[in-house]
């Protein structure tokens, strides 16, 4: 069956068709495959006297300030979205905007993938804990069961247990989506592209592999500076032109510092992206969001993002050094490839990770001193751990001073 709105003539589908075992039509839920996407007059005509969409002809009611009135906020967003889709595609070196989906945060991308590609009450997702919590929340909303294959957590290293993932996929054909977080949250650790490829090539697995790269720019910055990761590619974006069963999600919330605008990105081959676009709500990206995103993707926006990422990486390294001087903290876990660190709080007599003490430190810091970190001590392989986002140099110093005092 053809996907609604997909221009078959524009794409050489034979070229796109790797791996051999992947048949997209078999993975898309039948109701999604057959749905007719919402269409409006604005898809065809964007200019003139616009009396087609029941907008308010008198303009936005924004009080005295009329902030951003130049954005025509009384109109539905322009489908062109200030060229944001094209700019993101160019940034990630993909051939065409048809490879790029814009979502309301990558949280929407996670939910939409589950809605499009897994049947409620029948099919499953696979996750590798410790990992980002929204994969499970969305699975609960979408009535999907979860298969968990824990990361290998020995010695604070977090690696994909590839043989166990492959075995699970071979044993259970109802798994439709595999979520791999790289760099992981809360692990801060990249998953190698060799491991990602092994899952993509798994002939028994009919579904899609989703690589969540919310934090990838922090790892890419260190690679560009020649400080880490060697010369091999680390972003799964590299594999998108090759594999149709791959979706890479990213976001403007982290490296770009735009968590407030809610813009997530998904990269995949055009047929998968078309399915996602057919399913999402029309006009889901607001005009202010698209405007700020276009500013962020301008030359000066990108240059600022890179400078800020470099500063955060330097701040993170200073934070790591300072944490190492507090005796009641253990060695940080993971590879520190993102903008946070994961550090175990130890018990006084034995020097073992102490989750109760971590919870108490977390509470005291927040309630008595107004510094909020995250208690991750109950996550698999993270006993006693606090996750600390890298702040400004001053914020980090404040956090270190408090931790030192709490753990004295
Ligand atoms: C791994 C991971 N993926 C996705 C997200 C959600 O990002 P967004 O703000 O784009 O919804 C987060 C947010 O913390 C995250 O840690």
């Amino acid at each position: 069956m053809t996907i609604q709105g997909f221009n078959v003539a524009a794409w050489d589908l034979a070229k796109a068709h790797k791996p051999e075992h992947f048949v997209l039509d078999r993975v898309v839920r039948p109701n999604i495959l057959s749905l007719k996407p919402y269409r409006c007059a604005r898809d065809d005509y964007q200019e003139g006297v616009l009396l087609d969409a029941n907008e308010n002809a008198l303009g936005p009611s924004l009080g005295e300030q009329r902030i951003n009135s130049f954005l025509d906020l009384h109109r539905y967003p322009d489908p062109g979205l200030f060229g944001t889709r094209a700019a993101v595609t160019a940034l990630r070196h993909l051939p065409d905007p048809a490879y790029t989906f814009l979502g309301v945060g990558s949280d929407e991308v996670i939910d939409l993938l589950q809605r499009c590609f897994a049947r409620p009450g029948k099919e499953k997702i696979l996750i590798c804990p410790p990992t980002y919590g929204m994969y499970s929340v969305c699975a609960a909303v979408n009535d999907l069961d979860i298969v968990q294959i824990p990361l290998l957590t020995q010695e604070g290293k977090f690696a994909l247990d590839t043989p166990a993932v492959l075995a699970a996929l071979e044993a259970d054909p109802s798994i439709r989506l595999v979520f791999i977080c790289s760099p992981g949250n809360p692990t801060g650790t990249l998953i190698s592209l060799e491991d990602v490829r092994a899952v993509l090539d798994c002939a028994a697995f009919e579904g899609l592999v989703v690589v969540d790269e919310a934090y990838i720019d922090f790892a890419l910055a260190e690679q560009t500076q020649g400080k880490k990761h060697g010369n091999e590619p680390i972003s799964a974006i590299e594999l998108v032109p090759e594999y149709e069963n791959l979706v890479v999600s990213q976001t403007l919330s982290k490296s770009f510092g735009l968590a407030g605008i809610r813009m997530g990105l998904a990269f995949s081959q055009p047929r998968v992206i078309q399915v996602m676009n057919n399913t999402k709500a029309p006009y889901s990206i607001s005009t202010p969001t698209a405007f700020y995103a276009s500013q962020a993707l301008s030359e000066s926006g990108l240059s600022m993002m890179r400078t800020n990422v470099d500063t955060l990486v330097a701040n993170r390294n200073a934070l790591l050094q300072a944490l190492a001087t507090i005796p009641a903290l253990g060695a940080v876990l993971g590879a520190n490839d993102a903008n946070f660190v994961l550090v175990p709080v130890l018990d006084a007599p034995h020097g073992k990770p102490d989750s109760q003490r971590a919870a108490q430190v977390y509470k005291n810091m927040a309630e008595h001193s107004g510094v909020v970190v995250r208690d991750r001590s109950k996550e698999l392989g993270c006993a006693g751990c606090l996750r600390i986002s890298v702040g400004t140099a001053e914020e980090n110093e404040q956090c270190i001073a408090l931790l030192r005092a709490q753990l004295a």
Side-chain angles (χ1 to χ4, degrees), residues 31-295:
N31 54 318
I32 300 284
L33 196 57
S34 61
L35 71 73
K36 281 210 174 14
Y38 180 82
R39 273 193 67 78
C40 55
R42 217 58 67 86
D43 290 329
D44 303 319
Y45 309 101
Q46 288 95 43
E47 279 168 24
V49 178
L50 297 172
L51 301 177
D52 58 302
N54 304 342
E55 294 153 336
N56 185 326
L58 303 186
S61 296
L62 287 170
E64 295 293 310
Q65 305 243 350
R66 309 217 66 187
I67 16 164
N68 283 339
S69 55
F70 70 95
L71 289 177
D72 273 349
L73 294 178
H74 61 306
R75 298 288 176 205
Y76 282 101
D78 166 43
L81 298 169
F82 302 100
T84 303
R85 216 170 150 199
V88 169
T89 311
L91 176 70
R92 297 313 188 197
H93 308 294
L94 285 169
D96 190 283
Y99 283 74
T100 302
F101 171 86
L102 303 180
V104 183
S106 39
D107 284 343
E108 190 203 13
V109 170
I110 294 164
D111 179 62
L112 190 60
L113 288 167
Q114 296 193 12
R115 269 195 284 147
C116 291
F117 299 106
R119 289 157 189 77
K122 294 197 174 119
E123 292 178 335
K124 298 178 189 157
I125 67 162
L126 185 149
I127 63 171
C128 303
T131 194
Y132 182 49
M134 280 303 285
Y135 312 138
S136 304
V137 173
C138 292
V141 171
N142 289 299
D143 195 12
L144 302 170
D145 274 346
I146 303 170
V147 174
Q148 305 200 35
I149 304 294
L151 294 174
L152 299 169
T153 57
Q154 282 88 351
E155 295 158 28
K157 291 194 180 66
F158 294 101
L160 198 70
D161 188 350
T162 310
V165 170
L166 298 182
L169 295 175
E170 274 155 24
D172 190 344
S174 68
I175 300 170
R176 297 317 245 188
L177 292 158
V178 174
F179 286 90
I180 297 173
C181 195
S182 175
N185 175 4
T187 68
T189 303
L190 282 169
I191 301 296
S192 79
L193 290 195
E194 198 186 322
D195 287 333
V196 174
R197 247 183 216 280
V199 184
L200 289 165
D201 284 327
C202 174
F205 176 49
E206 290 200 336
L208 288 163
V209 179
V210 184
V211 181
D212 182 341
E213 295 190 346
Y215 300 95
I216 194 71
D217 286 319
F218 298 99
L220 288 171
E222 291 196 286
Q223 186 174 49
T224 307
Q225 293 168 9
K227 291 193 181 143
K228 246 176 154 184
H229 313 306
N231 295 324
E232 292 297 309
I234 54 173
S235 167
I237 290 267
E238 303 279 334
L239 305 177
V240 166
E242 207 181 322
Y243 287 92
E244 198 180 22
N245 55 343
L246 170 64
V247 179
V248 178
S249 75
Q250 296 183 356
T251 178
L252 299 195
S253 295
K254 310 295 179 182
S255 54
F256 284 88
L258 287 168
I261 71 169
R262 310 304 300 127
M263 182 170 280
L265 319 166
F267 302 99
S268 189
Q269 289 197 9
R271 294 198 308 159
V272 174
I273 297 295
Q274 184 74 49
V275 171
M276 295 172 75
N277 274 324
N278 287 356
T279 312
K280 78 170 184 70
Y283 310 121
S284 51
I285 303 298
S286 77
T287 302
T289 293
F291 172 72
Y292 285 121
S294 72
Q295 298 296 298

